Amino acid sequence: MGKVVSEYVVVGDVGGTNVRFAVSKDPRRYGGPTKIEHFWKSPNVKYETFSDALDAFLATIDIKPKRAVFALAGPIRNNTVTLTNHSSWQVCGEELAKQFGMDQVDLLNDFAAMARSIPELGLNSDGQGLKTICEGISAPGRPIIVAGPGTGFGFATLIPNENKTWQVLRGEGGHQAFSPTTALEADVYKRLLEKASYVSIESVSAGVGFNQLLETMFEVFGQTPEKLSPATAHERAKLGDKVCDAVCRMRANTVMTAYGNAVLANGAKGGVVAAGGVTTALIDYISAPEALSRFFDRGPMSSYMTDVPIYLITSAEAPLLGAAAY
Amino acid sequence: MGKVVSEYVVVGDVGGTNVRFAVSKDPRRYGGPTKIEHFWKSPNVKYETFSDALDAFLATIDIKPKRAVFALAGPIRNNTVTLTNHSSWQVCGEELAKQFGMDQVDLLNDFAAMARSIPELGLNSDGQGLKTICEGISAPGRPIIVAGPGTGFGFATLIPNENKTWQVLRGEGGHQAFSPTTALEADVYKRLLEKASYVSIESVSAGVGFNQLLETMFEVFGQTPEKLSPATAHERAKLGDKVCDAVCRMRANTVMTAYGNAVLANGAKGGVVAAGGVTTALIDYISAPEALSRFFDRGPMSSYMTDVPIYLITSAEAPLLGAAAY
């Protein structure tokens, strides 16, 4: 039986470990909200190349899409990318289009794709891939921040356009200068500045900076530094360990300060969508009154922050949805 | 002789002290670059109301515009505003349209109007209202930051749209949390945190925070605080006064850190346009290698910052140009 050439777009999401595929009725023809079908997932290492994996997925469906959008973790140039954490896979949109007989194959950054999924998931509606961290009112027509720490710190602003579409403004916001918010944090910061000439939001809150932050916190508390995994440090913090608790609080406070800064910078009264593995791991600290106060207490601008909602993104399918809607 | 009803738009710019008017051939019909004609300026206090001033301007020209755009320093709601620093003037777009027989009168924020003037002035071209602080290459199609301290700290991002127009993303970026960049600044910051629970970029670099910063710097240097005007402090700094020099450097460093943060947050490789009276007053400090390093030295993202140009806006007509192009 031949395959049906249809108005579907194939979407993919490739991280350092797993590749996910699905199809979506082409939203350029059918309008929103975007829905994905035939979700498929596999470890990258099962396939020698990206096109082998795509081949395996397409063999499972009775649809022959003419268009594809793939979200990938890596710097995309000229519709081509080498994956940041799985460098044996090189992906080229034009080559894939030729190989699979498609009209168009677009590659885009995975964080931008995730950001673009937010309007499809729908704000103000729990249980559809977003969890409320702090209730509020998403102001219609205003920008939304999608950001947060994992290994690094992703950062994007979603901007509604006049014609009811969305633009993703991508940046390197995790590399903005760190701002301490207490005397303890200022002391830790002074020590960090002795070790590295530049200390960013990412280097305090994300995975890449964890070891150095932990070491420095031990020093500031006058203790001999121990090497701990983030998970172990979180467990110890829960059991009352002061150094580990201070590390978790400083990471969470840094995230919340960064979110509030982003809202102020871009007038993002649409709200904040928290993303990233560290955000999820530290959710208890991030939801705590101390961290929330870093978001909301902004001197004369505190009233500006009132009602700005904060959500956590929980949907693993988000980058696929965002790719479909892009 | 009757006036010519023409394809001109009347533009205005109203600050706390002066009102400026001009006309421009309607850029919606004639395309860019926008040029203004019949520039007119008067102190606000000469006129009881805004419409009296407008009347006086219109009496000087042989043109009867059918559309107007006015840039005003104040919060605009429903096309109506009470001027922040000249509160006897209330301005309502609909009333003005009726009174002057115009089809449309739009009010917009003066900082947004100034930001919108940048593409009209043209980047990479000295001597047309922009002065180069640091040479670079404005990446085509990328956002541009327009920001800086005066009494407060204005902040906007210019975003190029697909159809070759520009969108102004307005925010309250001057109210983002302050980030110290040296041990001395961290010590000053700790003292500022004792005086106010929240310390913003604006409260360190802009006019509103000057007295408190100066007082705190005297304390950190172990000296009895003196009350000085910003101008006097700048003069003393030039003569070698250590406290005043430290204040000027901290303000300039804060401005440059904020500019670099904004570029990182919004991927603004189009460049930075420095604005505001404090920026102009401190231009020697802002152009100094120490302040520039706050902009460019961003750890692993330093290469991202290379070539991002920094300009100072010098044109007093900028808000009028921006209003015409809006």
Side-chain angles (χ1 to χ4, degrees), chain A residues 139-208:
Chain A
R142 300 295 294 271
I144 295 167
I145 302 298
V146 186
T151 305
F153 192 115
F155 193 100
T157 306
L158 263 169
I159 303 172
N161 284 334
E162 282 172 13
N163 49 353
K164 298 198 173 177
T165 61
W166 292 83
Q167 184 178 354
V168 179
L169 189 65
R170 268 281 288 153
E172 295 291 345
H175 293 273
Q176 291 175 93
F178 165 68
S179 177
T181 50
T182 63
L184 172 66
E185 288 179 11
D187 289 336
V188 172
Y189 181 51
K190 281 168 73 174
R191 289 212 177 221
L192 288 171
L193 276 178
E194 289 165 13
K195 296 175 187 184
S197 63
Y198 183 65
V199 179
S200 68
I201 293 168
E202 173 170 307
S203 63
V204 173
S205 65
V208 290

Side-chain angles (χ1 to χ4, degrees), chain A residues 143 155 157 159-161 167 169-173 175-183 186-187 189-190 193 198 257 261-262 264-267 297-301 304, chain B residues 143 155 157 159-161 167 169-173 175-183 186-187 189-190 193 198 257 261-262 264-267 297-301 304:
Chain A
F155 193 100
T157 306
I159 303 172
N161 284 334
Q167 184 178 354
L169 189 65
R170 268 281 288 153
E172 295 291 345
H175 293 273
Q176 291 175 93
F178 165 68
S179 177
T181 50
T182 63
D187 289 336
Y189 181 51
K190 281 168 73 174
L193 276 178
Y198 183 65
T257 300
N261 281 352
L264 289 165
N266 288 341
D297 296 349
R298 299 289 177 158
M301 277 297 130
Y304 187 88
Chain B
F155 193 100
T157 306
I159 303 171
N161 284 334
Q167 185 178 353
L169 189 65
R170 268 282 289 153
E172 294 291 345
H175 293 274
Q176 294 177 90
F178 165 68
S179 178
T181 49
T182 61
D187 288 336
Y189 182 49
K190 280 169 72 174
L193 276 178
Y198 183 64
T257 300
N261 281 351
L264 288 165
N266 288 342
D297 296 349
R298 300 289 178 159
M301 277 297 131
Y304 187 88

Side-chain angles (χ1 to χ4, degrees), chain A residues 58-110:
Chain A
L58 291 174
T60 68
I61 57 171
D62 278 334
I63 295 165
K64 186 171 165 46
K66 298 298 281 179
R67 192 165 76 82
V69 186
F70 300 129
L72 308 107
I76 292 148
R77 292 201 182 85
N78 299 320
N79 213 24
T80 299
V81 69
T82 300
L83 289 181
T84 301
N85 293 310
H86 190 66
S87 57
S88 65
W89 281 16
Q90 293 196 345
V91 184
C92 170
E94 270 63 45
E95 283 179 17
L96 290 170
K98 250 187 241 174
Q99 188 183 343
F100 289 92
M102 293 187 191
D103 299 330
Q104 197 181 346
V105 176
D106 292 315
L107 310 186
L108 63 112
N109 176 271
D110 62 339

Side-chain angles (χ1 to χ4, degrees), chain A residues 244-278:
Chain A
C244 291
D245 182 60
V247 163
C248 290
R249 283 163 58 196
M250 188 161 171
R251 295 180 95 191
N253 291 348
T254 300
V255 171
M256 277 308 205
T257 300
Y259 287 159
N261 281 352
V263 168
L264 289 165
N266 288 341
K269 298 192 76 154
V272 172
V273 178
V278 173

